[in-house]
Amino acid sequence: MRNPANCLSGLQLKDKWKVGDMVGNYVGNTGGKFSICYEVSHQDGKSGFLKALDFSGALGAVDPTTELHKLTEAFLYEKELLEICRPMSRIVTALDFGTVELGDPMKAEIVPYIIFEIAEKTVRSVISARMRPPFAWIMECMHQATVGMNQLHTKQISHQDIKPSNALIFSDQGLKIADLGRSVRKGQYVLHELEDWPGDWGYAPPEIAYGYLDPEFNVRRLSSDIYMLGSFAVSLLTGLQLTAWLITVLPDELRPPKWNGNYEGNYSEVISHVEQAFATALEKINDHIGVQEKFVEDMIDCVRELCQPNPGKRGHPRTHAIVGDAGNPFNLERYISRFNYLVLHARIYDHRIHRTSI
Amino acid sequence: MNGSTPYNNRKLLPRWRTLSQSADHGELQFSRKSTSQPVNFNTSILLSELVARWQRERNIENAAELISSGIVVGVNSEVENAANFLIESSNQVAPAIIRASKLVLNGSVMSSIEDDATFSNLGNIISIYRNISKLKIRVRTAPRDAISWMELARLYTLLGQNEPSFKCIQIAVELAPENRFVLRAAARFFENSGDLDRGLYLLRKSNSITRDPWLQATEISLSDVGGVSSKYLKYAIDQVTKDVWEPRHSAELCGAAATVLFADGRYSKARKLMKLSIRDPNENSFTQAEWASIKGWAPSIPEELFEIELAPEALVLRERQAFNWEHAISACIKWNEMEPTSLMPLVFGAFISLVALENGDKALTFLDRAAVRIPNDPMVINNQVVAYAYIGDIEKATKKLNQLNSMQLPKNRKAVQIATNGLVEYRRGEFSKGRDLYIDAIKIADELNDKSIKFLAIWHLLREESKLGTPELEEIVKNVDKSHGQINRLPEIEALKKKIDLDLSKSRKSCFSNEFTPLCKTNFLPYT
């Protein structure tokens, strides 16, 4: 039996979108494929990226009913979030939604899809290159990513999977955060909210890796988001996320199974060691950057505040002091201003270096 | 006269060392026996999406993304492929990613604290100050890092600066009142500074102690040192009987409990526990078992265990029993490298060097270290005098002696000081004066009923006399040897006796005689 999701190339959708070549498939953390991607082009010349829901994996599962339910639920959830995020300037939004029917509808050959904006490149491709990008670019990325995350947080959405490959660079609009497939919204039920960690384990904050899940949504989800924002800053500066740096300085016997170790104790018992490893990692990151400038120090300070191993202490100390328990202590507005300020200083630095090198 | 003797009763107190050393000795591991199956995450599933993307498109971007996650959750063959790919493309890839790729392929991680704990570096005060400066910067930027506060305290302790050390420890225990590493180090600091109550208070108020055998072991030993009953002894023995913990984690607990029980006269239970402590011992419990074995109340340690376990203190105990003094000195150096906060390796090293080897130079390497920690300690100064006298530097010996003579000392220490004055007089050539001073020291020790100092003084006097070939010495040596006194059984004293015997045999051959008052006429030597 053919897989309808594989047969979209060449189709015309809603008389507006022409489906181009398949660009690959997304594989869920459970190992099953659940979406297939295509390039699409609009009749007015705009390009897009189509994500088609693939039921074939679910139909072949041991319990197809449950798998189909999971799949459609996740798809509808992402669609709903994208609707909420439509006005957000720093979030990759959906250009269109729909369902395509192939042949006989009685054979259930229907494929729901979402069309996204297509980016020029990802942050990952830039930071993996030999030359470190200019500091001004790094600071701008941080500023825009923070704006994006703040936009999500104001709607009580936690992204849960911020990483360089999910930060897309558009030539005309700068950085936007993509892939809300793993996001969680406060008060809204979604299956992956039940998982310890819906995102990429390689980027998960330490408390999650040690199995600590705070009962409070803000601490459990928003705080892990801002850890990943700090970790994203480290990726921009060094090419590697903070968790990878932490791993290299944490003794083997204190690492949890999720970090390829065998420590099975509580997070509270090991947090002092994680704090020590965190301090050491920041020193190593600073050494690696090798630029003794105030704006780099400030950036490291931001990382220190954003990535505190104690999830309840993350974020700006003043925000914690003012807001207390009443509001959201993980509010990012102070960081938006701070990164904006650092962009200016980084520009001056880049300009100075550029002039010197000439 | 050398005035300090190594311990007679060893307590199984926690070692205070760096975090990486503690990690190397397995002291940070989770201690409870796992009730569930070992958690074995399938790396392939955690990385499936990234692997799929990498397999689809083998480019730098996907490879970098895969190794970034792989380095955290675990390495599989695809992660290795990606790492190799990145290394091959190194001229186009960011340096940090190349480093990470090498890490993936080499399979090892960097040590968390780069500490150079070699004997020579430990004596380098400038290096210690440099590390203090680095750590001060760190705790300023990361004030919640309890482990760094503790490390700062350790470095201050190495310099003998107990006040700043105490402040750092207070901060560390406030920040991490449940952390095993912090609590054990703090307990050791308070034991060293004589503030046992504070150490016990910290241990007993922590919630972790009920589930942590390492903390229970510390509480038992600290209570023993303080002469108070342990609150956890009974509970801990019960837990050991129920086999709650992995043998490695209960080793110190068994050793500590065994030591207390033996002192209470519960020999059979003590022996059983000591046997349990060497099922999978750590270095410290292994040493305790070796000590108990030498003392004769615990089974001897299998030779193969000795080969596996790197336990320098146990080696010191073993080598001195076998009169292998050079090996014992090397083991003292290793012991100091392993536990620089303890004065015991320095005391032992100096004692062996002075009494068994009569090597002043070697003794000074240990004593100078001790002098940094406790600069005005009369015993260290006294031993420095002895060391200078042995190497023939009477000027330096006299200078140190004047410093010692100006101190207010308790009576037994006064006896040691007088004997040391006697030694310097002997080495200056004032034999009669030297002998009189020794006799005075013996007299004071006898009045105080301090057998240890009395016999130390006698043996040192006999040693000086043997060099002079005093005629009636042979008989005196025999009688002194017959006398009771634990000090006579010390291997170092045995070595000293051998030297006296050797000198006596030489003097018999040369028919040497001296013109001083016969020693037999003094009342304080067991001549008759």
Side-chain angles (χ1 to χ4, degrees):
Chain A
M1 201 173 85
R2 69 170 182 168
N3 177 6
N6 279 338
C7 308
L8 302 189
S9 283
L11 289 182
Q12 189 82 16
L13 306 174
K14 291 185 178 175
D15 299 330
K16 291 188 290 192
W17 297 98
K18 171 91 176 155
V19 184
D21 292 338
M22 190 193 289
V23 287
N25 47 35
Y26 276 101
V27 183
N29 280 355
T30 50
K33 281 185 253 177
F34 61 78
S35 58
I36 294 177
C37 304
Y38 294 86
E39 282 173 357
V40 288
S41 54
H42 196 263
Q43 57 189 21
D44 63 7
K46 193 165 48 176
S47 295
F49 171 81
L50 183 142
K51 195 167 150 186
L53 189 60
D54 177 12
F55 292 117
S56 65
L59 288 169
V62 184
D63 183 2
T65 329
T66 312
E67 289 304 312
L68 278 172
H69 172 71
K70 280 185 196 169
L71 207 56
T72 36
E73 195 181 73
F75 185 80
L76 290 172
Y77 181 75
E78 187 175 359
K79 198 176 141 190
E80 194 181 337
L81 286 187
L82 286 165
E83 286 287 6
I84 297 168
C85 298
R86 201 180 278 276
M88 296 178 186
S89 60
R90 292 281 156 219
I91 304 297
V92 174
T93 50
L95 298 173
D96 213 343
F97 305 101
T99 306
V100 60
E101 287 182 14
L102 295 169
D104 185 358
M106 296 305 286
K107 287 184 183 169
E109 289 189 332
I110 51 165
V111 183
Y113 65 85
I114 305 172
I115 297 172
F116 295 94
E117 306 169 88
I118 199 160
E120 193 189 343
K121 56 193 169 186
T122 67
V123 166
R124 165 53 72 198
S125 66
V126 179
I127 60 171
S128 303
R130 172 117 197 115
M131 292 296 289
R132 179 165 52 205
F135 279 109
W137 183 87
I138 290 174
M139 299 301 164
E140 269 175 36
C141 280
M142 268 319 286
H143 175 247
Q144 291 165 357
T146 312
V147 171
M149 189 174 275
N150 195 48
Q151 287 172 342
L152 289 173
H153 284 193
T154 47
K155 292 287 178 191
Q156 298 287 323
I157 300 168
S158 162
H159 187 281
Q160 303 287 284
D161 205 12
I162 301 284
K163 55 180 183 175
S165 57
N166 282 342
L168 309 186
I169 306 288
F170 293 83
S171 52
D172 51 343
Q173 302 170 81
L175 182 143
K176 285 189 177 192
I177 295 170
D179 199 355
L180 296 177
R182 298 272 134 196
S183 302
V184 174
R185 188 165 184 231
K186 189 177 183 181
Q188 195 166 355
Y189 170 76
V190 59
L191 257 178
H192 59 246
E193 163 72 338
L194 300 177
E195 295 171 19
D196 291 351
W197 181 243
D200 185 338
W201 276 102
Y203 292 79
E207 74 276 10
I208 305 280
Y210 282 94
Y212 172 75
L213 281 178
D214 198 280
E216 221 266 296
F217 178 84
N218 282 358
V219 184
R220 186 173 70 251
R221 298 300 182 199
L222 300 190
S223 153
S224 42
D225 256 8
I226 69 169
Y227 171 89
M228 282 190 293
L229 183 67
S231 178
F232 180 68
V234 175
S235 299
L236 286 167
L237 290 164
T238 66
L240 274 178
Q241 77 277 29
L242 176 66
T243 314
W245 285 95
L246 264 182
I247 289 279
T248 60
V249 291
L250 195 64
D252 294 8
E253 56 190 4
L254 293 175
R255 300 212 309 251
K258 291 269 171 51
W259 281 356
N260 204 21
N262 51 19
Y263 187 84
E264 291 181 49
N266 300 331
Y267 188 52
S268 62
E269 287 169 1
V270 83
I271 191 168
S272 304
H273 297 289
V274 179
E275 274 166 349
Q276 195 263 345
F278 176 59
T280 314
L282 285 187
E283 283 171 8
K284 286 187 184 292
I285 289 164
N286 204 13
D287 291 348
H288 178 84
I289 298 167
V291 175
Q292 304 298 318
E293 290 288 331
K294 180 76 173 65
F295 73 90
V296 176
E297 273 176 37
D298 285 352
M299 183 73 151
I300 298 284
D301 281 344
C302 290
V303 173
R304 185 173 290 116
E305 291 163 11
L306 291 168
C307 301
Q308 274 297 317
N310 184 341
K313 303 264 181 214
R314 278 178 204 143
H316 203 286
R318 280 195 182 171
T319 312
H320 274 278
I322 294 167
V323 170
D325 296 331
N328 172 19
F330 307 111
N331 188 302
L332 290 167
E333 274 165 23
R334 283 178 192 274
Y335 289 101
I336 295 174
S337 315
R338 227 159 135 185
F339 290 131
N340 195 27
Y341 169 79
L342 293 180
V343 170
L344 299 175
H345 283 267
R347 273 194 198 136
I348 295 166
Y349 172 80
D350 287 340
H351 180 70
R352 201 173 67 218
I353 295 294
H354 182 63
R355 207 175 44 192
T356 316
S357 65
I358 288 168
Chain B
M1 174 191 89
N2 174 75
S4 52
T5 47
Y7 56 66
N8 194 29
N9 286 318
R10 186 183 192 272
K11 308 288 180 197
L12 212 160
L13 291 161
R15 306 274 192 209
W16 184 12
R17 39 194 166 203
T18 64
L19 182 73
S20 56
Q21 282 176 322
S22 298
D24 289 346
H25 284 89
E27 289 174 14
L28 306 178
Q29 286 165 357
F30 181 64
S31 53
R32 265 161 283 165
K33 260 191 177 169
S34 185
T35 46
S36 56
Q37 289 292 314
V39 190
N40 187 14
F41 283 95
N42 189 340
T43 307
S44 308
I45 286 181
L46 294 178
L47 296 172
S48 56
E49 189 179 338
L50 301 170
V51 169
R53 208 180 290 174
W54 155 246
Q55 283 171 338
R56 200 169 57 232
E57 206 176 339
R58 292 183 180 252
N59 59 20
I60 291 173
E61 183 182 352
N62 289 341
E65 192 66 24
L66 179 56
I67 69 143
S68 296
S69 289
I71 204 170
V72 176
V73 299
V75 175
N76 62 17
S77 59
E78 281 300 339
V79 178
E80 283 176 354
N81 288 343
N84 276 319
F85 174 82
L86 289 167
I87 289 170
E88 280 163 22
S89 328
S90 58
N91 55 344
Q92 299 166 49
V93 181
I97 294 178
I98 294 296
R99 236 174 61 183
S101 306
K102 285 179 181 162
L103 209 64
V104 161
L105 295 174
N106 296 337
S108 64
V109 295
M110 290 176 266
S111 154
S112 63
I113 294 172
E114 287 136 14
D115 41 22
D116 181 3
T118 55
F119 190 68
S120 57
N121 198 53
L122 285 169
N124 185 349
I125 294 174
I126 294 168
S127 156
I128 296 174
Y129 272 116
R130 202 175 293 134
N131 286 338
I132 285 178
S133 157
K134 275 187 202 165
L135 277 169
K136 275 170 124 177
I137 295 168
R138 179 183 286 186
V139 294
R140 209 162 27 230
T141 51
R144 300 191 54 79
D145 178 2
I147 308 291
S148 293
W149 279 110
M150 209 37 139
E151 177 59 8
L152 193 54
R154 196 185 70 85
L155 293 176
Y156 278 126
T157 304
L158 291 184
L159 295 173
Q161 297 182 20
N162 281 351
E163 214 169 298
S165 183
F166 173 69
K167 282 180 186 163
C168 294
I169 282 174
Q170 269 191 319
I171 296 169
V173 293
E174 279 295 321
L175 288 169
E178 302 295 329
N179 185 281
R180 182 197 297 167
F181 174 80
V182 170
L183 285 175
R184 276 163 59 87
R188 190 58 203 259
F189 170 81
F190 290 123
E191 188 272 333
N192 279 347
S193 53
D195 197 355
L196 289 165
D197 288 347
R198 200 186 290 264
L200 281 171
Y201 170 73
L202 286 173
L203 286 166
R204 287 173 182 172
K205 84 170 179 139
S206 83
N207 294 319
S208 328
I209 192 165
T210 50
R211 49 178 192 267
D212 193 331
W214 296 85
L215 293 179
Q216 288 169 21
T218 311
E219 196 270 348
I220 291 167
S221 292
L222 218 59
S223 305
D224 190 18
V225 174
V228 292
S229 320
S230 160
K231 285 192 175 173
Y232 285 88
L233 181 64
K234 205 175 160 197
Y235 173 75
I237 293 172
D238 187 44
Q239 298 282 297
V240 168
T241 320
K242 286 179 184 161
D243 204 17
V244 175
W245 297 297
E246 298 287 349
R248 180 77 175 186
H249 297 291
S250 59
E252 274 200 17
L253 176 59
C254 292
T259 310
V260 173
L261 292 182
F262 185 81
D264 284 352
R266 292 162 68 183
Y267 305 130
S268 162
K269 186 80 186 163
R271 260 192 278 281
K272 270 184 201 160
L273 280 169
M274 195 53 94
K275 216 172 168 183
L276 287 178
S277 81
I278 53 167
R279 280 178 301 173
D280 184 10
N282 72 342
E283 163 279 319
N284 203 2
S285 60
F286 180 84
T287 306
Q288 189 71 6
E290 172 67 7
W291 169 80
S293 161
I294 289 169
K295 287 281 163 192
W297 62 267
S300 55
I301 293 178
E303 208 56 42
E304 62 270 18
L305 255 182
F306 235 100
E307 281 162 24
I308 300 165
E309 196 61 51
L310 184 71
E313 188 187 347
L315 264 180
V316 173
L317 297 176
R318 183 161 279 208
E319 296 295 359
R320 61 193 279 263
Q321 288 302 117
F323 301 99
N324 291 332
W325 302 115
E326 291 299 336
H327 288 145
I329 293 276
S330 307
C332 281
I333 289 172
K334 285 213 167 62
W335 178 11
N336 181 246
E337 286 171 352
M338 181 193 73
E339 195 191 17
T341 48
S342 170
L343 283 169
M344 281 316 293
L346 303 176
V347 170
F348 249 117
F351 186 72
I352 293 169
S353 307
L354 288 178
V355 181
L357 298 174
E358 294 184 332
N359 186 330
D361 284 320
K362 247 186 197 140
L364 281 172
T365 59
F366 293 102
L367 291 167
D368 290 347
R369 297 288 165 89
V372 174
R373 289 274 307 278
I374 36 174
N376 292 319
D377 183 77
M379 202 46 64
V380 173
I381 298 170
N382 178 82
N383 290 356
Q384 281 176 320
V385 175
V386 178
Y388 283 126
Y390 280 1
I391 55 180
D393 193 340
I394 300 300
E395 200 183 319
K396 274 192 182 163
T398 312
K399 209 172 151 192
K400 283 274 171 196
L401 198 57
N402 291 339
Q403 191 187 341
L404 187 68
N405 290 341
S406 65
M407 287 176 163
Q408 288 291 324
L409 300 172
K411 259 194 158 182
N412 58 344
R413 296 287 114 197
K414 197 84 192 156
V416 175
Q417 179 208 350
I418 293 168
T420 303
N421 273 288
L423 171 77
V424 174
E425 291 306 327
Y426 265 106
R427 297 297 167 121
R428 192 180 274 138
E430 302 283 345
F431 306 124
S432 172
K433 220 170 165 183
R435 178 185 288 184
D436 290 345
L437 285 165
Y438 263 116
I439 300 293
D440 284 349
I442 296 163
K443 196 174 158 187
I444 294 169
D446 196 52
E447 278 167 10
L448 294 170
N449 203 18
D450 190 331
K451 282 189 176 170
S452 171
I453 290 177
K454 180 183 166 188
F455 280 100
L456 262 179
I458 291 172
W459 283 117
H460 279 83
L461 168 63
L462 295 179
R463 177 70 186 122
E464 295 307 310
E465 289 291 335
S466 74
K467 284 183 176 168
L468 302 176
T470 308
E472 73 276 23
L473 214 56
E474 216 166 322
E475 192 62 25
I476 298 171
V477 169
K478 267 187 210 158
N479 288 323
V480 173
D481 204 12
K482 274 185 218 158
S483 340
H484 293 290
Q486 281 188 331
I487 195 105
N488 290 355
R489 310 288 163 258
L490 286 176
E492 289 81 1
I493 298 292
E494 293 284 347
L496 191 69
K497 279 182 223 165
K498 278 183 189 161
K499 284 198 178 118
I500 294 171
D501 285 343
L502 196 71
D503 274 348
L504 287 177
S505 63
K506 275 184 204 163
S507 64
R508 267 197 303 273
K509 278 177 203 159
S510 66
C511 301
F512 178 90
S513 65
N514 69 41
E515 71 265 35
F516 306 116
T517 322
L519 276 173
C520 53
K521 290 197 177 166
T522 61
N523 295 328
F524 300 100
L525 290 176
Y527 181 61
T528 50

